[in-house]
Amino acid sequence: MSAETVPVTGWGRTAPTVARVIRPRTYQEAADAVRDCGARGGIPRGLGRAYGDAAQNAGGAVLDMTGLDRIHVIDADDGTVLCDAGISLHRLMEVLLPLGWFVPVTPGTRYVTVGGAIGADIHGKNHHVSGSFARHVLAFEMLTADGEVRSVRQGTPLFDATTGGMGLTGVILTATVRLQPVESALMSVDTERAADLDDLMARLTATDHRYRYSVAWIDLLARGAATGRAVLTRGDHAPLDALDARARRDPLAFRTSRLPAAPDVIPSGLLSRTTVGLFNELWYRKAPRAPRTGQLQRISTFFHPLDGVPHWNRVYGRGGFVQYQFVVGHGQEEALRRIVGRISAHRCPSFLAVLKRFGEADPGWLSFPVPGWTLALDVPAGLPGLGGFLDELDAEVAAAGGRVYLAKDSRLRPELLARMYPRLDDFRALRAELDPRGVFTSDLSRRLAL
């Protein structure tokens, strides 16, 4: 087991803090690390793709769990896998796709661990059909603050506190996950334009049920009649009969592409309103005027286009960026219109903005999705007035009965948290009972008094 004291930050590269990073290689080493993490406690960490401070712990310990990354059992008949929590979704895809199975839920990057996927209860383009990741987790083994390894199953309070609990209930060691059967490693994709936000919402409402996966890139710099214009992309796993003869020779091959990494130093002002506005205009015009149907794309292209650019988060410069994601329920479309209008009027230079519809809520006490509309956007952290503007959006989201996503948060005020997450008191009570000494803690948990 190795350890070093280094600065740690989230994927947004804001507010780094110094912690002792411990890298256990066995379950016993993980238990030793929890026992010896010190007065400032510890927090488990995967591949560091939480955007904010969820996997940071100033002055304490951070447990890098990526050394525990084995696959123990694949049941190809039942469609389940038992694996270590430190394994990445990328590695699972490499192993499982040739067997005709795919992960049940993937976010916009495949470089997240299974433990991180459970702790953040990640969602993807298929939430309206499949729910979040934890819905497909049958059970997991977790190391708790008292040194005990507990087997935790669906439908129990500890399961619901852990899924979405941001690593604050313990260290997940292994998980059993139910998989999605597929006939190929390609996607059949439909693409179309939406002229404005109302047009986009109408298309999503009317036709989302036809697709397993659905997402809309939205132009948040467009104003006037074009406010909320978007490119809508939807699809499903391509069946064998949709493939040409060449693709049928190896239909389950998992192929990815890789571009040069973003440089360490990016010129300041690269992502200005002017440059992002130009990008957004070109991206919108690049989409077909008439709907394009049945285009075959690699899984990596459809789900994870940014994974092809290593360290893409560097394009925001040394100051980093804020990823802001919220959800408001069905019936709160006017609130969504107001918020999109305010973002457009504020001229936030965001080129990675997406709108999706969520389906049925998930049982995790701090799980993010609820039925409704979710918007995610990125903005340079140094944008003048950004903090106050996002505070105003938080208040509007809370007033509409919505919430922000803790896995992406880096600046929410704690007084709004209980309004957004009604099971917060249950979560705090379970933590107090399970971990009275506060062994598991993070910058996020201190900031929000979790």
Side-chain angles (χ1 to χ4, degrees):
M1 179 170 59
S2 64
E4 60 178 336
T5 300
V6 293
V8 180
T9 186
W11 191 244
R13 304 175 78 202
T14 59
T17 55
V18 175
R20 184 164 56 100
V21 177
I22 305 170
R23 299 179 176 87
R25 298 290 175 178
T26 66
Y27 302 149
Q28 184 57 53
E29 287 184 352
D32 292 343
V34 169
R35 185 183 63 247
D36 300 332
C37 62
R40 292 285 286 180
I43 191 70
R45 181 181 174 96
L47 287 164
R49 293 305 178 101
Y51 286 81
D53 53 4
Q56 299 174 212
N57 184 22
V62 170
L63 279 63
D64 180 339
M65 298 301 294
T66 56
L68 292 167
D69 61 352
R70 295 169 296 171
I71 295 176
H72 296 280
V73 179
I74 299 171
D75 188 331
D77 295 323
D78 191 42
T80 59
V81 60
L82 170 61
C83 59
D84 282 346
I87 196 169
S88 69
L89 298 191
H90 172 83
R91 181 56 183 155
L92 285 181
M93 292 176 196
E94 285 184 323
V95 173
L96 295 171
L97 268 169
L99 303 177
W101 297 99
F102 189 61
V103 295
V105 172
T106 177
T109 176
R110 59 186 179 273
Y111 294 112
V112 297
T113 63
V114 167
I118 296 170
D121 200 12
I122 60 170
H123 57 270
K125 297 177 174 71
N126 60 340
H127 190 276
H128 63 292
V129 172
S130 302
S132 62
F133 192 86
R135 193 178 299 184
H136 308 272
V137 176
L138 304 180
F140 53 78
E141 289 186 315
M142 187 170 71
L143 176 66
T144 50
D146 56 7
E148 181 181 347
V149 175
R150 305 182 185 222
S151 296
V152 185
R153 302 195 67 82
Q154 269 190 353
T156 62
L158 186 52
F159 188 98
D160 291 344
T162 301
T163 55
M166 306 310 299
L168 295 170
T169 56
V171 180
I172 300 172
L173 299 175
T174 69
T176 302
V177 182
R178 187 170 297 284
L179 305 169
Q180 168 68 34
V182 295
E183 294 183 22
S184 79
L186 294 171
M187 304 296 297
S188 177
V189 181
D190 295 354
T191 305
E192 59 190 278
R193 290 185 191 178
D196 56 35
L197 182 60
D198 284 342
D199 182 28
L200 173 61
M201 290 193 292
R203 291 171 187 257
L204 288 167
T205 301
T207 59
D208 251 9
H209 64 280
R210 302 177 190 168
Y211 299 89
R212 179 172 293 275
Y213 303 99
S214 176
V215 66
W217 168 88
I218 184 170
D219 182 359
L220 291 176
L221 284 174
R223 291 186 288 182
T227 298
R229 68 178 180 176
V231 178
L232 181 54
T233 306
R234 295 177 291 187
D236 209 333
H237 298 280
L240 281 176
D241 59 16
L243 276 55
D244 60 25
R246 181 179 178 182
R248 288 188 194 186
R249 287 199 291 268
D250 194 4
L252 292 167
F254 179 44
R255 297 185 175 92
T256 63
S257 58
R258 192 175 179 86
L259 298 172
D264 287 325
V265 179
I266 301 292
S268 61
L270 178 64
L271 294 182
S272 66
R273 293 182 176 97
T274 301
T275 58
V276 173
L278 178 61
F279 171 87
N280 287 2
E281 182 69 30
L282 293 174
W283 193 257
Y284 182 76
R285 292 186 179 276
K286 176 178 174 287
R289 287 181 178 272
R292 181 176 58 212
T293 61
Q295 181 187 30
L296 294 181
Q297 294 181 3
R298 293 178 181 178
I299 275 175
S300 59
T301 300
F302 181 76
F303 288 108
H304 315 118
L306 287 175
D307 282 349
V309 183
H311 305 295
W312 64 262
N313 56 338
R314 294 175 182 169
V315 303
Y316 295 87
R318 295 187 185 278
F321 70 103
V322 173
Q323 175 86 184
Y324 184 71
Q325 184 169 7
F326 68 90
V327 59
V328 293
H330 293 304
Q332 293 294 333
E333 286 75 14
E334 189 54 42
L336 178 62
R337 292 185 187 97
R338 284 196 307 270
I339 293 171
V340 169
R342 293 188 64 178
I343 294 170
S344 175
H346 198 77
R347 309 297 288 153
C348 290
S350 177
F351 72 96
L352 292 176
V354 296
L355 183 75
K356 293 180 291 194
R357 288 175 73 242
F358 280 156
E360 182 181 348
D362 300 291
W365 292 349
L366 297 186
S367 184
F368 170 64
V370 295
W373 305 93
T374 180
L375 177 66
L377 61 143
D378 64 299
V379 286
L383 188 70
L386 180 63
F389 177 65
L390 293 181
D391 284 347
E392 293 173 3
L393 294 190
D394 288 341
E396 187 148 7
V397 168
R403 59 183 58 164
V404 300
Y405 190 17
L406 297 183
K408 296 184 176 180
D409 177 56
S410 58
R411 24 78 43 214
L412 179 68
R413 292 173 297 169
E415 60 267 25
L416 286 179
L417 191 65
R419 292 174 62 187
M420 294 180 172
Y421 289 90
R423 299 298 300 273
L424 179 62
D425 285 345
D426 293 329
F427 179 80
R428 286 170 170 161
L430 185 142
R431 274 198 74 208
E433 178 182 351
L434 189 67
D435 183 9
R437 296 183 296 115
V439 171
F440 294 110
T441 189
S442 66
D443 291 354
L444 173 80
S445 71
R446 280 188 287 267
R447 176 169 58 85
L448 293 178
L450 287 171

